[in-house]
Amino acid sequence: MTLYRDALLGKSDDKIVSFTSSIDEDRLIVNEVIEVLIAHVHHLRSEGLIPYEVGDKALKALRELLKNSDELFRFKVEDVHEAVEVYLMNALGVDAGWIPLGRSRNDHVATALRLKTKRLVVELIGEMLKFREVLLKKACSYLEIPLPLTTHLQSAQVSTVAHYLTYIEEMLSNYTSIIYAVLDVFVDKSPLGAGAIAGTTVPLNRLELARLLGFNSLVNNTLLATGSRDFICVVASVITSLAVSLSRIAEDFIIWGTPQFNYIEPPTTHLATSSMMPHKKNLVTMEVLRAWGGEAVGHLAAILSVVKAVPSGYNLDLQEVTKHLLKLILNTIEALTIVRDFVEGTEFKEETLRNEVYKYPITITDLAEFISVKYGKPYREVHRELALLMKELGEFDMNKVCNELSRRLGISLEELHRAITPENVLKARRVVGSPNPELMLETIRNFKAVLNSDYDRYAALISRLVIPNEY
Ligand code: ARG
């Protein structure tokens, strides 16, 4: 049955309805659509804009629908908004005709989408916070365990596992801050009561409608409220960037999990084997996470491409971005739970890592700095001397480097050895943010304080998510 088109356009064609309908994707926002309508009906009733008993009956029917909305998806309709109207007609008869007063699908879908986005984004923040907690806890047990870091994927400088883990934490902390800001500025604003594009003559109190649904404030301009999807573009951009950053972390773990590197012992639940090769331990969760970064870019590209050049005001193109946004958030939430579980269960192999740092000249930079500072030699000169020496020796052997240097520069062998020992090197690195274990401990303390205040903000958001149960 079609409700909206019959009078003007007559019968619909099933294949055309199925091409233009959003009913399948609307499953994901059905609760929010019903909740928005409940707020609308409640408001119409309390402002005396519809007969009180009609409002009452409609509210009862809508609350029932909220418990089980399956039947909506059996109707052949343009979308869930029409389906709810059909449902109300079945439940209330002609009285259902009062309900659409002062509303448009344009303001209602925008409101439902913002409500759903807010809820999912808060869930995503919760996952980030839990992951950050795991990272900081884990970092504490790896303060002094060395980790060779690479640039250009070639051994670069010695660091620590704690340094690596807090790198992820700081990145997530930044994402937490920006997502809070995006929620505040772009998402947590109510479009309800804005009509189809330029408002309504029905005296709705938009602030009151916003309050009923727990929104922080209003999208003021009714054209912006109904026709804009900026909030989706911005949320999707930030979340895609997060997904891309996580894909780099996944790549690190995949590399460190190879037998060639062998730095980590991943939880076996995250591994899969080969149907043919009996020895394979493939780090499949991290592979899927790595792929998700790329898929997320695809969803963002779809969203931006659909929105681009759509004339201001609602156009049905906008309906097509919803599925991409919801997939983007839902999958990223899942990705965060998986990577948290992975990190929580992964052991970094202390013995391997302690040996590893001696295999490559990853403290030679620190040696060059030591000679330059202690013996007053221009750094470029020392850098060149050491590079030539490496070439001459033809192999990366720090002992040989020290012997030769001691002979050429007259510096005691003992002093040179002290300058290249990973533990000493780490202690000597005192610039803010470096892996120096003492500084790292302080950093972890500071990061924990930030995490705690982010948890407080999260709790405040959660408390506002609950829609007041007074109507
Ligand atoms: N189903 C649409 C969406 O998801 C809302 C309907 C707006 N349709 C319209 N003809 N104004 O965006």
Side-chain angles (χ1 to χ4, degrees):
M1 130 150 230
T2 54
L3 198 59
Y4 302 140
R5 57 173 293 124
D6 284 0
L8 182 68
L9 300 172
K11 287 213 172 325
S12 59
D13 174 329
D14 278 1
K15 66 177 179 304
I16 290 178
V17 172
S18 100
F19 183 66
T20 54
S21 173
S22 59
I23 190 77
D24 291 336
E25 292 105 51
D26 287 344
R27 270 186 189 278
L28 285 166
I29 55 166
V30 62
N31 284 354
E32 286 71 17
V33 165
I34 299 169
E35 286 167 280
V36 170
L37 196 56
I38 288 178
H40 173 73
V41 175
H42 172 78
H43 189 58
L44 289 179
R45 189 187 60 165
S46 56
E47 296 295 304
L49 294 163
I50 57 170
Y52 194 89
E53 330 71 61
V54 172
D56 230 28
K57 277 197 282 177
L59 287 175
K60 277 201 189 88
L62 288 170
R63 279 197 210 101
E64 274 309 305
L65 187 62
L66 205 48
K67 289 185 209 146
N68 180 6
S69 54
D70 284 351
E71 72 175 282
L72 295 180
F73 300 93
R74 288 198 284 272
F75 304 146
K76 271 213 160 29
V77 284
E78 289 179 19
D79 54 28
V80 66
H81 310 276
E82 189 176 11
V84 175
E85 233 179 295
V86 172
Y87 163 86
L88 284 178
M89 271 179 53
N90 294 342
L92 274 68
V94 281
D95 279 347
W98 286 99
I99 306 307
L101 180 68
R103 65 156 287 214
S104 155
R105 281 182 290 174
N106 300 352
D107 68 328
H108 276 239
V109 74
T111 312
L113 275 176
R114 282 168 182 269
L115 207 53
K116 181 73 183 179
T117 305
K118 189 167 103 172
R119 287 174 177 170
L120 288 180
V121 167
V122 169
E123 200 180 323
L124 181 121
I125 292 176
E127 279 309 323
M128 286 208 291
L129 297 179
K130 279 197 250 167
F131 185 25
R132 286 169 59 189
E133 205 173 324
V134 165
L135 288 161
L136 291 181
K137 191 160 168 243
K138 194 119 189 154
C140 288
S141 33
Y142 287 103
L143 282 174
E144 295 184 359
I145 311 301
L147 179 68
L149 288 184
T150 60
T151 60
H152 312 271
L153 200 54
Q154 304 209 23
S155 319
Q157 285 186 292
V158 62
S159 178
T160 63
V161 175
H163 189 232
Y164 180 78
L165 296 173
T166 54
Y167 140 77
I168 308 176
E169 204 280 336
E170 183 174 346
M171 177 180 89
L172 291 175
S173 170
N174 292 340
Y175 276 109
T176 311
S177 305
I178 194 72
I179 290 175
Y180 278 135
V182 167
L183 265 186
D184 208 38
V185 177
F186 278 94
V187 183
D188 200 0
K189 293 181 168 173
S190 171
L192 199 54
I197 181 163
T200 166
T201 57
V202 179
L204 300 178
N205 179 344
R206 291 195 56 208
L207 273 175
E208 175 58 12
L209 283 167
R211 191 192 66 79
L212 290 174
L213 290 167
F215 281 104
N216 214 6
S217 59
L218 293 184
V219 186
N220 185 290
N221 185 295
T222 59
L223 165 56
L224 188 67
T226 52
S228 144
R229 291 296 181 270
D230 295 2
F231 75 100
I232 291 184
C233 296
V234 175
V235 168
S237 302
V238 173
I239 292 180
T240 300
S241 177
L242 167 63
V244 166
S245 298
L246 291 177
S247 79
R248 298 187 66 186
I249 305 301
E251 171 72 346
D252 291 340
F253 283 122
I254 291 167
I255 292 172
W256 293 341
T258 56
Q260 289 85 344
F261 272 78
N262 195 29
Y263 287 3
I264 54 168
E265 191 67 61
T268 49
T269 47
H270 286 252
L271 302 174
T273 188
S274 156
S275 63
M276 187 182 184
M277 301 168 282
H279 67 290
K280 293 301 293 291
K281 291 178 174 182
N282 301 328
L283 232 176
V284 288
T285 53
M286 293 301 104
E287 289 173 15
V288 172
L289 179 61
R290 185 171 59 182
W292 172 240
E295 287 182 65
V297 171
H299 287 290
L300 175 64
I303 291 170
L304 296 176
S305 316
V306 168
V307 174
K308 180 206 162 278
V310 168
S312 297
Y314 186 87
N315 293 262
L316 205 55
D317 312 46
L318 300 182
Q319 158 182 295
E320 301 304 312
V321 305
T322 305
K323 54 180 173 289
H324 295 289
L325 172 74
L326 298 180
K327 176 105 178 134
L328 197 44
I329 313 181
L330 285 166
N331 275 29
T332 307
I333 292 174
E334 192 186 6
L336 282 164
T337 64
I338 295 296
V339 67
R340 166 170 52 86
D341 187 74
F342 178 84
V343 170
E344 203 163 16
T346 290
E347 287 305 316
F348 283 81
K349 296 183 169 178
E350 180 172 350
E351 209 186 307
T352 315
L353 289 168
R354 286 201 187 280
N355 293 331
E356 200 70 4
V357 290
Y358 288 101
K359 282 199 199 152
Y360 311 101
I362 55 176
T363 55
I364 198 163
T365 304
D366 306 272
L367 178 64
E369 287 173 353
F370 168 78
I371 296 171
S372 173
V373 172
K374 174 109 193 254
Y375 293 94
K377 279 175 167 282
Y379 185 77
R380 183 56 61 234
E381 209 176 279
V382 186
H383 178 277
R384 190 179 154 73
E385 225 165 293
L386 281 170
L388 286 171
L389 186 55
M390 299 291 281
K391 193 161 132 188
E392 232 177 277
L393 293 171
E395 55 178 335
F396 297 147
D397 184 335
M398 286 306 285
N399 283 328
K400 285 192 185 155
V401 170
C402 287
N403 290 343
E404 199 48 31
L405 269 188
S406 169
R407 204 177 57 74
R408 291 187 195 178
L409 302 176
I411 305 173
S412 86
L413 202 53
E414 218 191 322
E415 197 175 2
L416 291 174
H417 276 295
R418 260 204 311 274
I420 60 158
T421 310
E423 296 80 64
N424 296 339
V425 163
L426 289 170
K427 267 191 209 132
R429 300 231 197 97
R430 297 209 57 90
V431 294
V432 173
S434 52
N436 177 311
E438 219 175 279
L439 289 183
M440 186 50 65
L441 198 60
E442 213 176 296
T443 299
I444 292 174
R445 261 188 228 120
N446 295 337
F447 283 7
K448 271 191 183 150
V450 176
L451 178 61
N452 285 341
S453 81
D454 281 345
Y455 259 120
D456 291 344
R457 253 178 117 170
Y458 171 71
L461 266 176
I462 293 272
S463 70
R464 278 201 296 112
L465 275 189
V466 187
I467 293 170
N469 202 13
E470 64 200 42
Y471 50 94

